[in-house]
Amino acid sequence: MINKTELSKKIDKCAEEWGVAGAVAIYKAEECYHKNFYGLADREKNIPITKNSTYLMSFNSRFLLGLCIGMLIDEDKLKLEDKLDKYIPEYTHSSEITINQLCLKQSGIPDFFNGGIMKKQQTDAEYQVLTDEDRNLIDRKLFVHPWTFEDAITYVDGKELTNAPGTEPTDDLDNMTETLFIREVIERASAKNLPDYVRNRIFAPLGIRGEYSKVNTKPYVVYGMADYMNGQYEDDNKYTFSMNYDEAEKLLVAVLNKKLLSEKAWKAITAPATFEQSIIFNSVSGWLSARDFGYGNLGWSNYFYLDWDTGIGLIHLTNSELIVRSENGSLSQFRKEFRQETAASFVYPNNPRLVPFSKNNVWDAMQLSINDEQLEYMSNAKEAICIAYAYKHELFILMEGNRSIGLLAFSMDSKNKKYYIESVLIDKKYQQRGFGKIMMIKGIEYLKSIGCTHLSIGVNRFNVAAQKLYKSVGFEEKTVYEDFVELETYFD
């Protein structure tokens, strides 16, 4: 049973420590476990954020575009396997690209913004003499300029593709040309402009207005990871709308409970592909994160995080970018800590599995952490991963859903029948929940399946908790040294 009061205290403390601004909430299914409002709507006038604060959002976000793609699938107006020439026949390479490839950043269409607009900036003499801070703000304002489909196709038509359709691009950045092409596909397939389609088909059933109006919060961006700037912006009342907390909450709950779309459509737009992204979500430390749901990069944004396995959904609706700090050699910020605190409260063994270490879990695996007092006995995750690769150990990650929980490394000499457990680590947030024993049992099952009959492990003599764990799965003491114990077990 989750103690809501204690959970709220943890989130409030986290928000205070990071100086976060905006609305923050936790939902499980349709039940709210935490909701509060933090920080300032106007830093110069010291006006606080409230429930009635409003934030500027863009219809061009990949999250909303993805919902529209799902809606068009349900309406039988679009199929992901359709070629782009069905909707944009005038584009040179449209017969080579599917809608799915376009939405998953696998189209190969050049990015007119980074490859054209920003490249041109580098040759602008007036731009080059500006301070880094001023250039940063100009770049941000350029990003949210109301670019049109005509701007994009004029630049890319006739140019070679940057990669073969269906293959991964060289980076995981969203391509503005693809964004504008997706918007154009939606408008042509639906015979409506994007804002009207979103308002009528997605927002109206949920009681969300989705209209443009001047918002009562100022946008703030962070320069140099620590300094706030007022995010000046250019009005765009065609493809932007204001959103308050109540509206964000309605949308989160609908998506968390898979409303709005059929199961078929949800499956289509949430299938992971390039960089573990889907049409609508990014994958972030076991959470699904709504793609690019905000107003460019000028401060306003609406972060949704979902874990459909546990039924948990998170909101951070804000007018301010986050301060980033270095902690124990890794960069951290409020939303990372917020996700971790929430997961620590809700995640227990349900359907754990042991999977090979790979590019699909490398980043989350490196974030696994242990308590400071445990560093005396074991390597941290990054050290364990480096050692495993240097010595060619087999490395596995324990997963609960899409979340990395722990790691297990083996050295194996099958010729001489020598098998040794080199590293055992459960993230500090999930210790004392049975994950360690589960991981050991699954690891032993794997070794037995490849012919292991004798297995050894070493442990610090004073690490009593670890010794207790290993003995619980069949290990017995073989040799006891001054500060080290070797344990072993045999299998039939």
Side-chain angles (χ1 to χ4, degrees), residues 47-74:
I47 299 173
I49 294 281
T50 70
K51 181 180 179 181
N52 297 318
S53 295
T54 54
Y55 310 80
L56 196 63
M57 298 285 116
S58 173
F59 284 107
N60 292 324
S61 80
R62 289 295 189 101
F63 173 69
L64 289 179
L65 294 177
L67 284 177
C68 290
I69 293 293
M71 193 68 68
L72 289 167
I73 290 172
D74 276 342

Side-chain angles (χ1 to χ4, degrees), residues 290-310:
R291 284 180 65 185
D292 185 35
F293 191 15
Y295 182 57
N297 54 1
L298 283 186
W300 287 300
S301 54
N302 193 355
Y303 284 85
F304 285 174
Y305 298 101
L306 290 86
D307 182 346
W308 275 322
D309 289 332
T310 58

Side-chain angles (χ1 to χ4, degrees), residues 424 436-438 440 464-475:
V424 179
K437 186 171 183 177
I438 290 169
M440 291 294 294
V464 178
Q467 292 178 47
K468 183 178 178 180
L469 168 63
Y470 304 149
K471 290 178 179 178
S472 74
V473 295
F475 282 90

Side-chain angles (χ1 to χ4, degrees), residues 28-98:
K28 183 174 175 64
E30 299 191 15
E31 183 179 356
C32 183
Y33 278 71
H34 170 81
K35 176 168 61 179
N36 210 345
F37 305 91
Y38 309 96
L40 298 173
D42 187 322
R43 294 173 184 269
E44 290 75 28
K45 296 180 180 178
N46 206 38
I47 299 173
I49 294 281
T50 70
K51 181 180 179 181
N52 297 318
S53 295
T54 54
Y55 310 80
L56 196 63
M57 298 285 116
S58 173
F59 284 107
N60 292 324
S61 80
R62 289 295 189 101
F63 173 69
L64 289 179
L65 294 177
L67 284 177
C68 290
I69 293 293
M71 193 68 68
L72 289 167
I73 290 172
D74 276 342
E75 293 173 355
D76 249 352
K77 294 180 178 179
L78 176 147
K79 293 182 175 63
L80 291 181
E81 59 269 26
D82 287 342
K83 288 295 181 68
L84 184 56
D85 59 2
K86 182 175 180 180
Y87 308 93
I88 307 179
E90 67 269 33
Y91 174 53
T92 310
H93 298 284
S94 62
S95 63
E96 305 167 44
I97 300 164
T98 66

